[in-house]
Amino acid sequence: MTQQPVQSPQFFLTAPSPCPYLEGQFERKVFTHLVGDKAPEMNDLLTQGGFRRSQNIAYRPACETCRACVSVRILAQEFEPNKTMRRVLKQNADLIGTAHGAEPSSEQYSLFRSYLDARHKKGGMSDMTVLDYAMMVEDTHVGTQVIEYRRRGPDSFITGKGEGELLAVALTDMMSDGLSMVYSFYNPALTDRSLGTFMILDHIQRAVAAGLPHVYLGYWVNGSRKMAYKVRFKPQEHLGPQGWARFE
């Protein structure tokens, strides 16, 4: 019998459960734990292979009868915003995102709670407590940042920080080849600002500034209206049986 090195990850398979995106389908996931000194390197490899991170777990779909979930990453260095996206950037030119360590706050949770109650009241995260939220942010062994978006203040050009009310938050992993948007949320009352789109555009700009090629958006689910927005950010690549392929 061949023995695996201690550092080799162990993978597990979940039992089937109803799919949250496609009615009548059942999902299964293969997952492993991201812990220890090798966690950042492993997170890079697994994300490039189609996995997503949730706390200290990396997972990907392993459904028996469906292949609708497709990993998506934006080609940041080639990206050019369209007319609608340029308008979103202009509408939010008064905002600035400040990167912090993976530290939760009561202000973040209050915004998170408002977002869930307005946009995902029946979703799988709807009953998350403040402790659950803290674990979502803190339970990471990789390079994770919390990016807080606030309005620009008179001293922002000096401090690089916004001021006043917290309007949006992105939980983001810093990878060797890009930024992975783990989760984001925003003030649901500010629909005219299109803050979800703005945060993706801001991450593209951050990747370009850092010389990184990709922004990972997780899964696009073909046939799910909830996920349709992800294919608007082109050019991008989709992960298929033959590897990453350009999608325009």
Side-chain angles (χ1 to χ4, degrees), residues 23-68:
E23 188 175 353
Q25 293 287 351
F26 286 82
E27 68 170 359
R28 299 190 77 178
K29 295 175 182 175
V30 60
F31 69 93
T32 189
H33 296 278
L34 290 170
V35 294
D37 295 340
K38 296 293 185 181
E41 179 183 348
M42 185 60 62
N43 187 49
D44 279 15
L45 291 173
L46 291 176
T47 302
Q48 292 160 7
F51 280 71
R52 290 288 283 166
R53 185 184 70 81
S54 177
Q55 295 177 224
N56 67 359
I57 290 175
Y59 68 90
R60 68 170 295 172
C63 307
E64 296 174 354
T65 61
C66 179
R67 296 292 182 271

Side-chain angles (χ1 to χ4, degrees), residues 52-243:
R52 290 288 283 166
R53 185 184 70 81
S54 177
Q55 295 177 224
N56 67 359
I57 290 175
Y59 68 90
R60 68 170 295 172
C63 307
E64 296 174 354
T65 61
C66 179
R67 296 292 182 271
C69 292
V70 178
S71 292
V72 172
R73 66 186 186 188
I74 302 167
L75 297 172
Q77 302 293 333
E78 300 180 46
F79 176 81
E80 291 289 342
N82 59 28
K83 183 177 179 180
T84 300
M85 293 172 184
R86 290 195 297 271
R87 184 164 62 246
V88 170
L89 287 170
K90 185 176 180 180
Q91 287 174 325
N92 293 285
D94 61 331
L95 302 187
I96 186 169
T98 304
H100 303 274
E103 299 176 357
S105 70
S106 58
E107 188 181 22
Q108 292 170 19
Y109 179 71
S110 179
L111 182 62
F112 175 71
R113 189 72 262 164
S114 297
Y115 174 78
L116 289 183
D117 291 344
R119 301 295 299 270
H120 301 286
K121 199 166 187 177
K122 296 182 179 180
M125 303 173 74
S126 61
D127 59 350
M128 285 181 64
T129 67
V130 64
L131 293 178
D132 295 327
Y133 175 77
M135 287 295 291
M136 182 177 80
V137 175
E138 290 179 330
D139 195 3
T140 175
H141 292 254
V142 305
T144 302
Q145 291 184 340
V146 175
I147 303 175
E148 296 185 341
Y149 294 87
R150 305 176 192 268
R151 289 183 174 86
R152 295 179 185 271
D155 297 326
S156 291
F157 72 100
I158 298 174
T159 66
K161 298 179 180 180
E163 297 180 4
E165 179 187 2
L166 181 63
L167 302 182
V169 174
L171 186 64
T172 303
D173 285 349
M174 318 302 291
M175 297 170 47
S176 61
D177 72 328
L179 307 179
S180 177
M181 298 187 70
V182 176
Y183 195 76
S184 60
F185 53 94
Y186 50 86
N187 186 331
L190 302 177
T191 54
D192 291 345
R193 281 186 175 268
S194 300
L195 289 169
T197 296
F198 170 68
M199 282 190 282
I200 295 175
L201 294 171
D202 180 68
H203 276 67
I204 293 171
Q205 293 176 340
R206 288 171 182 268
V208 170
L212 298 171
H214 304 123
V215 173
Y216 288 84
L217 294 183
Y219 301 116
W220 167 60
V221 183
N222 192 8
S224 170
R225 292 180 62 185
K226 294 179 183 178
M227 296 295 181
Y229 72 91
K230 293 188 178 183
V231 293
R232 298 204 312 261
F233 299 87
K234 301 171 184 174
Q236 60 183 229
E237 292 181 326
H238 291 185
L239 183 60
Q242 307 303 317

